[in-house]
Amino acid sequence: MNELSETRGLRADAPLPDADRLAAPRARLTAALRQETHRGRAVSPRRRMILVGAATAGALAVTAGIVATLPEDSPRAPAGKRPQVLSAGASADALELAAATVEKHDGTEPGPKQWVYEKSTVFVQGKPQTSQEWTRWDGTGQATLPGIPPAGDISEFDPDELQVWYGPNQEEKWKREGYDDRSQRQFYRFLATLPSAPDRMMKRIREEHAIGSINGETRAQRDWREIDVLYRSVLIPPNVQAGLFRALAKIPGARVTTGVKDPLGRAAIGVSVNYAEKTPSGWQGKQEIFFDPESYAYLGQTRNDGEMVSARAAWGIVNKPGAHP
């Protein structure tokens, strides 16, 4: 049994999405896929796994204090199953189904002295580099592994030793002095105030100028960049998760692809846009965000046809730096 299965077992009492709430998007998606099949397109038989849904790994990590680790050696797709790009209509229905699933999850935030844990992998010239990071919820502590070498003499530096930093609470100072810096707690609480309607939500996000405006960039390009950055947050309130899926459905050219693998080789669905020409932000080619096909948890992304590749291997809530939930 892998750790994700164990997590589901320990939280067997966690409420699943309301059946009536999922019925409409499920029916639309099923009808759209049936129509595509009649047009001669092959449709993934694993669609049922997506329709079933489950409480997200991220939500379980918050409520139960358990890390959600998706195995790198996930079973490969059955013979004959290949990536399938859904039509615009089927993509919108798939994203609505994801939204209707995740918005039912528990949005309880961690305690101020708890730590957010994330294990991530980036690929530099095709070679994976994995790191672990712990961030205290109130912003007063951070830990990394491997550690970061200090300036000057590094003869006694051990990269395998957990590097921990503690400091004063900066939240009030940042707010008082007008800094954009936010602790994870501040950022989570800001996100929780956003309206669920995707258009209104993205308008509020753009008004915050979190990533800055770029001259000549279209609203759709800006929204994709905003969403791309937001998904790198380990904890996102359920209403915002749902809003992001619905906002993706409104981006012209965004498509869902089933039967794909994420950067770590795990089964996934992908949501992508493709820029034939370089955008004002410098992005060109295929930009893809990967999600677990059952829980819709964020798995990773590729940018500029693989120029930038990253994946989230594990995440959760712990009570001290260095701990693994």
Side-chain angles (χ1 to χ4, degrees), residues 202-216:
M202 294 309 300
K203 182 176 184 292
R204 278 282 311 280
I205 290 172
R206 287 192 298 272
E207 289 172 351
E208 285 293 307
H209 297 289
I211 61 174
S213 301
I214 296 178
N215 289 335

Side-chain angles (χ1 to χ4, degrees), residues 117-120 129-134 142-148 157-164 321-324:
Y117 167 73
E118 180 183 24
K119 181 180 180 181
S120 58
Q129 296 183 1
T130 299
S131 62
Q132 300 177 77
E133 185 172 0
W134 292 258
Q142 189 165 8
T144 57
L145 190 67
I148 301 172
F157 172 70
D158 182 0
D160 296 325
E161 182 178 341
L162 182 67
Q163 202 172 75
V164 184
H324 295 83

Side-chain angles (χ1 to χ4, degrees), residues 4 17 38 41 54 68 72 100 102 110 129 132 146 155 159 172 178 182 187 210 212 215 234 239 260 269 297 307 316:
L4 183 57
H38 289 164
R41 300 172 184 168
E72 296 183 17
V102 301
Q129 296 183 1
Q132 300 177 77
S155 59
E172 287 303 318
R182 289 187 176 100
F187 188 62
N215 289 335
V234 179
N239 69 303
V260 299
I269 61 172
E307 180 180 304

Side-chain angles (χ1 to χ4, degrees), residues 2-3 69-76 261-262 264-267:
N2 62 48
E3 292 183 2
T69 303
L70 301 175
E72 296 183 17
D73 58 347
S74 299
R76 293 195 172 275
K261 298 290 183 180
D262 82 340
L264 295 179
R266 301 170 294 190

Side-chain angles (χ1 to χ4, degrees), residues 3-4 18 32 43 102 225 239 248 251 256 260 268 315 324:
E3 292 183 2
L4 183 57
D18 182 89
V43 178
V102 301
R225 281 200 306 123
N239 69 303
L248 284 171
I251 294 178
V256 171
V260 299
W315 63 96
H324 295 83

Side-chain angles (χ1 to χ4, degrees), residues 33-55:
L33 293 174
R34 184 180 299 115
Q35 184 178 24
E36 292 192 11
T37 302
H38 289 164
R39 290 173 179 169
R41 300 172 184 168
V43 178
S44 167
R46 195 177 175 185
R47 174 54 50 187
R48 178 175 177 79
M49 294 187 68
I50 300 176
L51 298 181
V52 172

